[in-house]
Amino acid sequence: MLAKRIIPCLDVRDGRVVKGTRFVNIRDAGDPVERASFYNREGADEIVFLDITASVEGRRAIVDVVRQTAEVVFIPLTVGGGIDSPSFMQELLQSGADKVSLNTAALKNPSLIREGAEQFGSQCIVTAVDARRIDRSAEADSPGWEVYSHGGRQATGRDLLEWVKEAESMGAGEILLTSMDADGTLGGYDIEMLAAVTGAVEIPVIASGGAGSLEHMYEALTSGNAHAVLAASVLHYGTYSIAEIKDYLSSKGLPVRPVEK
Amino acid sequence: MNKLVIVDSGSANLYSIYKACQMVSLQPVISDQPGIVAEAGAVIFPGVGFFNHAARALQEKKLTAALLKVAADRRPLLGICLGMQLLFEESEESGNISNAAKGLNVIPGRVKRFPAGLPVPHVGWNRAVPAIEHPLFEGLNGGAYFYFTHSYYVSPERRGHSLASTEYGFSFTSAVCSGNLYGVQFHPEKSGPAGLRLLANFGKIIADQQ
């Protein structure tokens, strides 16, 4: 039986981590390799690097980050942010990444998902989707969600459920779903949206955006039917350790990979 | 004649496995040269991708004969993922391909696709439970979690060749052993402390043999 995964996400800009501090046993809180190593020791099941570098030149730094991390961290690494070509995917995968996460470029050109899946296998290709609730309470009783691109800055007019189904049919191996409404609120994942997406596709869905408590994660993995939860703030600010999260989920009967020494 | 060689068949990302070996004090070399592989003290044989492509690449690079020599001389060989599947003769993945390339056929059995209804690929952390106490799984006998990513699994003809099994809707063989030949379906180089332990155990098997 597959274990439910706990995945820390590190935002990286120009090769440095830009979110969160408050770690005592990390010498340099801004060093992505050290942060990834820390979470690896803590029992993370996977690490996600999200490159939010603005410039194309600055993006070269993420390749080095991946390579250095892969020298010391022996769990799967996923890299997202600005990936717009199979050749860049290949470079990241050869540097030690196990998966690449596509977002804006896939929205512009969905066949990029297919090209990646054909060349490297579906298991390498994550499609990251940022979505926001549509306020149409006046006209309909069921909620809808709209997909945003460019790190959540641009509305695309695309319907969330249609887009995740298209991504799956193109060969995506996983969906990384972020609720922009919930992101950063610590108020819980958007369970309704999560359940709608996990009901629409068969590939694993990683829940992201809104985790503030252990109950939130349990809810995402049960009511939301997510395979994994991505967490940033609760981990970065030390609210919970990965061991605490896993102990809690395990006590509630969910399969998790125990934290080893 | 005592080198540990990681076989570069052109399909796998070898960086992580190389670094993971170093992490547990093994000093491997990466090579695609048949002469070096044939003379290796022990071999790690990783692989990802398609069975047919990989088997053909082995033939083209003249690595098939080199690996068969290692197997015949009873030197330790560890196949990882597709590398393990290639220890068998053929895979259902090559079902509709005429003149599909054969695997090494050093362990009798077949490589099968997961039954319909199960999401494939099987990706993520799952437990490998050893059938017996074995040096490869020393310290891992309780059934540690390892990282898997695959759509096909091996089905050895002889039950005794199945070293560990994993539950995914049903129980499939996730590790094999036949004499000096070992194989794991999961990726020890991506399986955290448990994976490093397994590689260290393989290192110990090599040391005991030499």
Side-chain angles (χ1 to χ4, degrees):
Chain A
M1 199 184 201
L2 285 172
K4 300 288 188 182
R5 289 169 281 155
I6 310 299
I7 307 176
C9 178
L10 298 170
D11 288 357
V12 178
R13 188 194 289 146
D14 299 318
R16 308 287 294 169
V17 174
V18 290
K19 223 195 237 175
T21 49
R22 277 239 236 145
F23 285 97
V24 278
N25 31 6
I26 285 177
R27 278 165 301 190
D28 177 359
D31 179 6
V33 181
E34 286 216 11
R35 291 290 287 274
S37 305
F38 173 81
Y39 286 128
N40 176 40
R41 287 194 300 274
E42 287 265 286
D45 296 311
E46 199 167 319
I47 302 281
V48 170
F49 285 128
L50 182 61
D51 189 15
I52 56 169
T53 304
S55 67
V56 174
E57 310 82 65
R59 266 186 219 135
R60 304 302 311 162
I62 196 70
V63 179
D64 293 327
V65 167
V66 169
R67 182 166 284 274
Q68 288 165 25
T69 304
E71 287 182 10
V72 290
V73 170
F74 298 102
I75 55 175
L77 303 175
T78 300
V79 186
I83 300 170
D84 54 5
S85 68
S87 61
F88 194 28
M89 292 181 211
Q90 183 168 27
E91 193 175 357
L92 290 165
L93 294 169
Q94 282 178 347
S95 302
D98 297 280
K99 309 179 196 180
V100 290
S101 173
L102 309 177
N103 191 334
T104 300
L107 282 161
K108 278 190 203 151
N109 171 24
S111 63
L112 190 62
I113 299 172
R114 175 152 48 210
E115 288 169 41
E118 279 173 1
Q119 278 190 47
F120 314 111
S122 281
Q123 78 285 344
C124 291
I125 309 296
V126 180
T127 300
V129 183
D130 301 327
R132 188 186 285 281
R133 238 164 226 274
I134 301 165
D135 182 17
R136 55 181 191 195
S137 44
E139 47 194 287
D141 24 327
S142 77
W145 298 272
E146 182 180 2
V147 178
Y148 281 67
S149 66
H150 297 85
R153 291 189 302 276
Q154 264 182 42
T156 65
R158 273 178 174 270
D159 176 73
L160 170 65
L161 298 184
E162 279 170 24
W163 172 232
V164 293
K165 282 188 229 172
E166 183 177 347
E168 180 180 44
S169 72
M170 286 284 177
E174 235 166 6
I175 301 287
L176 168 53
L177 178 67
T178 303
S179 161
M180 294 169 56
D181 302 302
D183 200 23
T185 63
L186 305 180
Y189 298 92
D190 184 339
I191 299 295
E192 197 178 4
M193 176 169 98
L194 192 52
V197 170
T198 54
V201 297
E202 285 183 4
I203 51 177
V205 176
I206 304 166
S208 160
S213 73
L214 301 172
E215 291 79 6
H216 291 154
M217 298 187 197
Y218 177 74
E219 228 186 347
L221 295 167
T222 51
S223 313
N225 215 9
H227 278 66
V229 286
L230 194 82
S233 307
V234 288
L235 290 173
H236 300 332
Y237 296 116
T239 317
Y240 300 108
S241 69
I242 292 171
E244 283 169 327
I245 296 169
K246 288 190 167 183
D247 282 348
Y248 175 81
L249 296 176
S250 179
S251 76
K252 302 276 273 182
L254 293 183
V256 292
R257 179 177 70 110
V259 176
E260 299 166 62
K261 273 175 234 153
Chain B
M1 172 70 191
N2 52 9
K3 269 201 304 277
L4 170 61
V5 176
I6 298 174
V7 180
D8 177 8
S9 56
S11 69
N13 171 13
L14 305 173
Y15 191 65
S16 295
I17 184 78
Y18 178 74
K19 287 292 171 186
C21 284
Q22 286 188 332
M23 201 65 157
V24 296
S25 304
L26 297 172
Q27 299 300 333
V29 294
I30 296 175
S31 179
D32 66 350
Q33 297 301 307
I36 290 175
V37 172
E39 295 304 316
V43 163
I44 290 180
F45 177 32
V48 294
F50 298 104
F51 188 96
N52 183 45
H53 292 183
R56 199 163 297 285
L58 285 182
Q59 289 168 1
E60 279 163 9
K61 291 181 158 216
K62 307 207 176 347
L63 286 167
T64 308
L67 286 166
L68 288 173
K69 184 165 190 296
V70 171
D73 289 353
R74 308 194 60 77
R75 285 172 264 157
L77 185 158
L78 174 65
I80 295 175
C81 196
L82 184 62
M84 163 168 96
Q85 296 180 3
L86 286 163
L87 299 177
F88 293 75
E89 184 180 17
E90 52 186 17
S91 170
E92 287 182 1
E93 192 183 36
S94 309
N96 297 321
I97 303 167
S98 55
N99 297 322
K102 302 276 190 200
L104 298 172
N105 195 19
V106 288
I107 300 181
R110 278 179 67 75
V111 182
K112 297 182 173 175
R113 186 170 171 87
F114 279 122
L118 286 172
V120 291
H122 168 234
V123 183
W125 294 87
N126 208 332
R127 294 175 71 200
V129 182
I132 51 163
E133 282 200 12
H134 189 280
L136 191 64
F137 281 89
E138 198 186 315
L140 304 165
N141 280 309
Y145 279 87
F146 294 92
Y147 187 74
F148 289 81
T149 170
H150 62 121
S151 299
Y152 293 80
Y153 66 96
V154 299
S155 177
E157 239 165 58
R158 289 180 213 151
R159 183 190 284 268
H161 288 162
S162 179
L163 182 55
S165 62
T166 294
E167 291 288 332
Y168 186 56
F170 70 113
S171 179
F172 71 90
T173 294
S174 50
V176 293
C177 170
S178 169
N180 56 316
L181 305 174
Y182 305 87
V184 290
Q185 181 59 65
F186 48 82
H187 289 269
E189 76 280 15
K190 288 289 170 181
S191 296
L196 294 176
R197 178 65 197 261
L198 186 128
L199 288 174
N201 289 345
F202 184 61
K204 224 171 137 212
I205 290 171
I206 299 171
D208 287 349
Q209 185 119 349
Q210 283 171 353

